[in-house]
């Protein structure tokens, strides 16, 4: 019998790729949306609702065998904005999944940031959500994915950095020794589907990255850009006081335009952390998944 996957966040960057991957495998998808959708594809049903509304979440998970909870708050000017969505919202999705009586597996899209909850409101909200979900999950297999920075078609956050790199300028916003890791969104979507369909899922916070040994440093990214351009790339350091000033201005502007800011003082602590290298060791071992796209391949082939 065809299995049904309920996906939150399917209107966002990562969730869209997850849905495409699930549909390509012939699974049925129920997708939560806050706005009306007209989707001509078969096997997908969009359910109007939101994380704040338990009734809509009950309709959303109705009959689903698996839940992928990918909706999340990635930008915000206060701690409460992250806590409301990423903690309280996630617990409501789990509650609905449990009450449905049909959910066997629940995959929570956390973040590598949860490794250091002290760094930012976002990191802390993901970490706390993970803890509560583990406590609540009895009877449901819970998977926790901690992807590093994700990029690919539809991404708006890293795209400017890569576009500038290919024009010959790399903006460095953390120390030269920083270890970064990256993950292409199609590899993440593939990992989600594989975790859902693996025979015996493990409850484990899994880190995910593109497998570059020890991640990238700024010089390596500069080298990749130069080799693709066949010309040099200027590495331009953005001083911390300037980053802080931009964060202050964008936080202030967010009040005026009514949109949540990405760059805040809280986010800077996360961005400038010196070690964001990650390892696929546990996930690869448990679900036989390995990433296929590294940064050089993605940039050479316009996959961003
Ligand atoms: N992008 C990354 O580099 C990265 C790395 C690690 C982890 N993650 C995690 O991956 C997930 C998806 O990230 P993304 O980059 O795809 O973000 P995104 O493009 O901003 O998408 C966020 C999604 O969550 C939905 N959402 C937010 N609040 C909601 C609410 N209250 N009720 C219902 N839906 C809500 C949004 O719906 P609307 O379309 O209606 O706004 C959208 O579909 C997040 O949980 C994020 O923390 C992302």
């Amino acid at each position: 019998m065809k299995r049904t996957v309920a996906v939150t966040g399917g209107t966002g960057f990562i969730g869209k790729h997850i849905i495409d991957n699930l549909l390509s495998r012939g699974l049925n998808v129920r997708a939560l949306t806050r706005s009306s959708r007209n989707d001509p594809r078969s096997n997908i049903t969009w359910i109007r609702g939101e994380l704040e509304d338990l009734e809509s979440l009950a309709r959303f998970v109705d009959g689903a065998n698996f839940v992928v909870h990918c909706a999340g708050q990635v930008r915000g000017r206060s701690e409460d904005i992250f806590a409301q969505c990423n903690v309280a919202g996630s617990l409501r999705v789990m509650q609905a999944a449990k009450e449905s009586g049909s959910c066997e597996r629940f995959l929570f899209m956390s973040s590598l940031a949860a490794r250091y909850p002290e760094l930012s409101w976002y990191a802390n909200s993901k970490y706390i959500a993970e803890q509560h979900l583990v406590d609540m999950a009895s009877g449901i297999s819970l998977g926790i994915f901690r992807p590093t920075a994700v990029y690919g078609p539809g991404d708006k956050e890293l795209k400017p950095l890569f576009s500038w790199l290919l024009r010959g300028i790399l903006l460095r916003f953390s120390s030269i020794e920083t270890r970064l890791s990256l993950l292409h969104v199609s590899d993440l979507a593939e990992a989600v589907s594989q975790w859902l369909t693996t025979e015996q899922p493990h409850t484990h916070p899994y880190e995910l990255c593109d497998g570059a040994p020890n991640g990238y440093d700024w010089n390596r990214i500069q080298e990749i850009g130069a080799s693709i351009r066949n010309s040099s790339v200027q590495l331009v350091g953005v001083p911390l006081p300037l980053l802080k000033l931009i964060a202050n201005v964008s936080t202030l502007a967010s009040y005026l335009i009514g949109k949540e800011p990405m760059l805040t003082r809280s986010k800077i602590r996360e961005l400038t952390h010196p070690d964001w290298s990650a390892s696929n060791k546990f996930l690869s071992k448990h679900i036989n998944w390995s990433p296929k796209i590294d940064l050089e391949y993605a940039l050479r082939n316009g996959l961003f």
Side-chain angles (χ1 to χ4, degrees):
M1 204 181 67
K2 253 192 189 174
R3 313 293 271 163
T4 297
V5 190
V7 182
T8 68
T11 56
F13 158 52
I14 294 175
K16 279 185 189 157
H17 288 267
I18 290 176
I19 288 177
D20 289 348
N21 192 297
L22 294 169
L23 291 174
S24 75
R25 290 168 178 252
L27 291 150
N28 286 325
V29 171
R30 293 174 74 76
L32 189 72
T33 176
R34 297 196 279 193
S35 50
S36 70
R37 298 267 136 187
N38 193 4
D39 192 331
R41 294 175 294 182
S42 52
N43 297 346
I44 178 162
T45 309
W46 287 93
I47 310 289
R48 226 14 216 274
E50 56 186 7
L51 302 184
E52 291 71 20
D53 175 14
L54 202 47
E55 220 174 273
S56 66
L57 292 177
R59 271 186 279 115
F60 158 66
V61 296
D62 187 30
N65 308 96
F66 310 132
V67 171
V68 176
H69 177 37
C70 183
Q73 190 74 37
V74 294
R75 43 177 75 218
R77 66 174 88 95
S78 74
E79 182 161 21
D80 192 53
I81 286 171
F82 290 98
Q84 286 304 327
C85 182
N86 296 345
V87 182
S90 299
L91 303 195
R92 274 187 221 104
V93 180
M94 175 58 93
Q95 187 185 337
K98 287 186 79 172
E99 287 172 3
S100 74
S102 59
C103 180
E104 300 152 32
R105 296 185 190 183
F106 187 108
L107 183 58
F108 175 52
M109 193 61 70
S110 182
S111 164
L112 190 62
R115 196 163 75 178
Y116 304 115
E118 68 284 6
L119 286 183
S120 69
W121 298 322
Y122 171 71
N124 192 45
S125 67
K126 289 290 189 180
Y127 175 77
I128 291 180
E130 289 181 358
Q131 309 301 306
H132 286 306
L133 290 174
V134 169
D135 291 343
M136 279 178 84
S138 65
I140 295 183
S141 297
L142 172 69
I144 295 173
F145 274 14
R146 288 181 168 181
T148 183
V150 183
Y151 69 98
D155 160 54
K156 295 193 189 92
E157 310 302 340
L158 286 170
K159 192 180 171 78
L161 186 80
F162 297 145
S163 300
W164 278 106
L165 173 68
L166 298 183
R167 284 185 209 127
I169 294 176
L170 176 58
L171 291 177
R172 174 176 63 79
F173 46 78
S174 59
S175 77
I176 194 79
E177 296 83 25
T178 302
R179 304 300 312 181
L180 306 157
S181 54
L182 294 162
L183 177 64
H184 195 269
V185 68
S186 64
D187 281 324
L188 175 55
E190 187 69 16
V192 168
S193 292
Q194 269 184 239
W195 184 85
L196 291 177
T197 50
T198 196
E199 250 174 50
Q200 275 204 324
H202 293 247
T203 293
H204 204 288
Y206 292 113
E207 293 184 4
L208 294 90
C209 65
D210 70 3
N214 230 349
Y216 300 85
D217 62 16
W218 291 105
N219 288 328
R220 175 67 191 130
I221 298 175
Q222 182 186 24
E223 258 172 42
I224 290 173
S227 122
I228 296 171
R229 279 167 47 76
N230 250 330
S231 175
S232 65
V233 168
Q234 287 290 324
L235 187 54
V236 180
V238 183
L240 189 58
L242 180 59
L243 262 188
K244 287 182 176 169
L245 181 69
I246 299 170
N248 290 348
V249 170
S250 83
T251 304
L252 191 66
S254 75
Y255 284 102
L256 303 174
I257 58 173
K259 280 193 171 172
E260 295 302 332
M262 177 52 93
L263 191 65
T264 58
R265 289 284 187 125
S266 168
K267 194 73 184 175
I268 287 178
R269 284 195 296 277
E270 201 186 299
L271 281 180
T272 55
H273 190 270
D275 183 16
W276 286 118
S277 58
S279 162
N280 296 319
K281 192 172 125 198
F282 290 113
L283 189 64
S284 292
K285 187 169 137 208
H286 289 161
I287 68 165
N288 193 25
W289 165 85
S290 51
K292 296 191 172 59
I293 299 181
D294 65 14
L295 182 63
E296 181 159 4
Y297 182 88
L299 295 185
R300 272 194 196 284
N301 293 284
L303 301 174
F304 67 102

